[in-house]
Amino acid sequence: MTIVHASRFSSLVGDIYDAAIDPALRSAALEQVAEFVGGFAATILSRDAAGLSIEIHQHFGTESRFRQLYRDRYVELDPLLDRHPGLAVGQTAGVTDIMPHSDFVATSFYREWLEPQDAIDLAAVTLDASGARTTILQVLRHRSRGPVDDTMRERMRLLAPHLQRSRLMGRRIGARSHTVDDLADVLDGLSSAICLLDADGRVIHANAACRQLFADGNLLAMVGDRIVARNTQTDKIFRGLFDVASNGGTEPSGRRRIDLVTSVDGQHHLIHAFSLKRERNQPRDIAATALFVQTASMVPLLATEAIAAAFRLTPSELRVLMAIIEIGGVPDIAARLGIAETTVKTHLGRLFEKTGAGRQADLVKIAAGFAVPFGRRTSGDV
């Protein structure tokens, strides 16, 4: 390989690994692979060990109708694909390694599928072989360049391990991305505001409740990528909590890591920050602190359907129970629900009987056991 070709090879390898990170680059990388090895079209495909199914993972330069024809009919006639399950990973083969080229041009595979694409030959290299499937890179050779030669075989062999590692990286990154997306979706469903900050106090992730908290701007707000408190009391407490967390959780003066803060509209919130475990010498821009903000309320979000099912409550009894939690007094409950006080007392007696509670405070405690951490999604989520 000349210096120029070695430089092209090195650059192409870099592009192959870039494509593992960004799927949008894969088609361009495969185009460069085809050009570098001396072909004009390339496909990465796999076939199961029994030969019953084929999957085309990536392709360049082959029209959709020829790809479909290959799947429907000509895959069974491809002389290289039948041979590759027995070849080692990284081993390259051209048609002339299997049969004389004169015999190949007489096949229907050549006449009906390869020749109409202005191709004269094809080569394939095994990228991965397991008991279940074999994955290959298939490259078509244009008639103007003649049959597959040793240079083409060697270049495909050199690229094979990089293509395989890139595919493996891509699968792992994709799996991790799905996991991260799933976790973010779960966090968005929580009623508590959760925010992750890096070692310099910059926000790197905020769940839906936290984004809404910033949008409301009554307690905390975002300026750039940093959190700003909306009043002096909150700022002092917030900075103290963050300092404790960023110092690895040490609390030199007995400083609490959970505190009560009040927003500008008078709403109380519990705020809690704690440090996340970090390995030594990790970058400063990864999550270092988790911040939790919970609205202080005597009325938690309850799984009302579960309460009703557990104690076989009627809809009217459940409404009275919820009113007891929110309001408390029989006269106020009657006024809120628009029913007579005697009716409230009747439902209250049935609640005592069904739950085993002896007083209203016990009903509140029982209901609190059905609190759920998930908030109700709203269309106003930002």
Side-chain angles (χ1 to χ4, degrees):
M1 188 181 297
T2 66
I3 294 177
V4 173
H5 288 148
S7 177
R8 285 182 59 198
F9 175 77
S10 178
S11 176
L12 176 54
V13 168
D15 292 338
I16 289 171
Y17 287 116
D18 286 343
I21 300 172
D22 185 356
L25 302 176
R26 290 175 184 173
S27 180
L30 195 59
E31 178 181 5
Q32 293 179 63
V33 166
E35 180 183 348
F36 178 77
V37 303
F40 73 94
T43 303
I44 295 178
L45 58 92
S46 62
R47 190 183 192 188
D48 71 308
L52 299 176
S53 66
I54 180 175
E55 182 178 0
I56 294 179
H57 305 287
Q58 294 174 238
H59 58 84
F60 166 76
T62 305
E63 295 179 14
S64 60
R65 64 189 180 99
F66 285 109
R67 292 197 302 273
Q68 191 60 48
L69 283 170
Y70 187 83
R71 287 191 187 98
D72 294 344
R73 171 174 169 78
Y74 294 101
V75 62
E76 302 296 336
L77 305 176
D78 185 343
L80 290 182
L81 195 61
D82 283 337
R83 180 70 177 270
H84 263 274
L87 298 180
V89 173
Q91 189 169 354
T92 305
V95 173
T96 55
D97 296 318
I98 298 173
M99 61 183 356
H101 194 263
S102 58
D103 292 345
F104 177 55
V105 298
T107 64
S108 58
F109 179 82
Y110 176 85
R111 290 184 287 102
E112 298 170 11
W113 189 79
L114 202 65
E115 189 175 33
Q117 299 182 71
D118 288 328
I120 193 173
D121 203 352
L122 75 161
V125 59
T126 305
L127 301 181
D128 184 41
S130 65
R133 301 188 75 82
T134 298
T135 303
I136 69 168
L137 166 68
Q138 180 193 79
V139 182
L140 304 189
R141 182 85 158 181
H142 197 271
R143 64 172 62 257
S144 63
R145 304 195 67 164
V148 171
D149 55 19
D150 288 341
T151 299
M152 185 174 184
R153 293 185 184 90
E154 177 63 13
R155 292 186 179 184
M156 290 179 68
R157 185 189 66 79
L158 291 173
L159 288 175
H162 300 290
L163 288 167
Q164 173 56 14
R165 289 174 195 145
S166 174
R167 283 176 47 75
L168 180 60
M169 287 172 57
R171 287 197 298 270
R172 289 181 175 175
I173 291 171
R176 181 171 296 180
S177 297
H178 286 305
T179 300
V180 170
D181 290 343
D182 291 342
L183 178 59
D185 192 55
V186 170
L187 293 180
D188 278 346
L190 297 178
S191 57
S192 296
I194 302 174
C195 186
L196 301 180
L197 304 103
D198 68 11
D200 295 317
R202 292 186 292 262
V203 175
I204 60 175
H205 182 76
N207 73 343
C210 194
R211 297 194 297 271
Q212 187 62 54
L213 189 71
F214 295 149
D216 294 341
N218 293 320
L219 181 71
L220 301 170
M222 284 284 294
V223 176
D225 56 2
R226 295 181 185 274
I227 297 175
V228 175
R230 295 303 304 270
N231 59 54
T232 304
Q233 177 238 16
T234 301
D235 182 70
K236 182 178 180 181
I237 292 173
F238 174 68
R239 296 303 161 194
L241 288 168
F242 182 73
D243 287 343
V244 170
S246 61
N247 288 331
T250 58
E251 303 179 34
S253 57
R255 182 185 296 156
R256 290 176 295 167
R257 293 169 57 194
I258 249 181
D259 219 320
L260 181 68
V261 295
T262 305
S263 59
V264 295
D265 62 352
Q267 177 70 56
H268 297 304
H269 301 268
L270 292 173
I271 186 169
H272 178 203
F274 66 90
S275 58
L276 301 176
K277 184 178 180 181
R278 289 165 51 87
E279 300 295 333
R280 187 173 297 177
N281 300 323
Q282 279 189 318
R284 294 184 63 81
D285 60 352
I286 67 171
T289 302
L291 176 71
F292 291 79
V293 182
Q294 177 68 52
T295 301
S297 173
M298 290 298 292
V299 185
L301 185 61
L302 302 177
T304 54
E305 292 181 0
I307 297 173
F311 299 106
R312 298 182 180 180
L313 304 183
T314 66
S316 296
E317 291 166 352
L318 183 62
R319 282 195 296 272
V320 169
L321 175 60
M322 293 300 102
I324 289 170
I325 296 169
E326 293 184 40
I327 304 169
V330 171
D332 292 332
I333 293 173
R336 170 72 68 85
L337 299 181
I339 57 179
E341 291 185 26
T342 54
T343 304
V344 174
K345 291 178 180 178
T346 298
H347 289 313
L348 187 57
R350 289 173 180 167
L351 287 171
F352 288 151
E353 180 182 347
K354 289 184 176 182
T355 63
R359 53 183 183 161
Q360 289 183 215
D362 294 333
L363 289 174
V364 174
K365 291 178 182 178
I366 290 171
F370 289 82
V372 295
F374 298 101
R376 296 184 180 90
R377 294 183 185 275
T378 66
S379 58
D381 183 26
V382 294

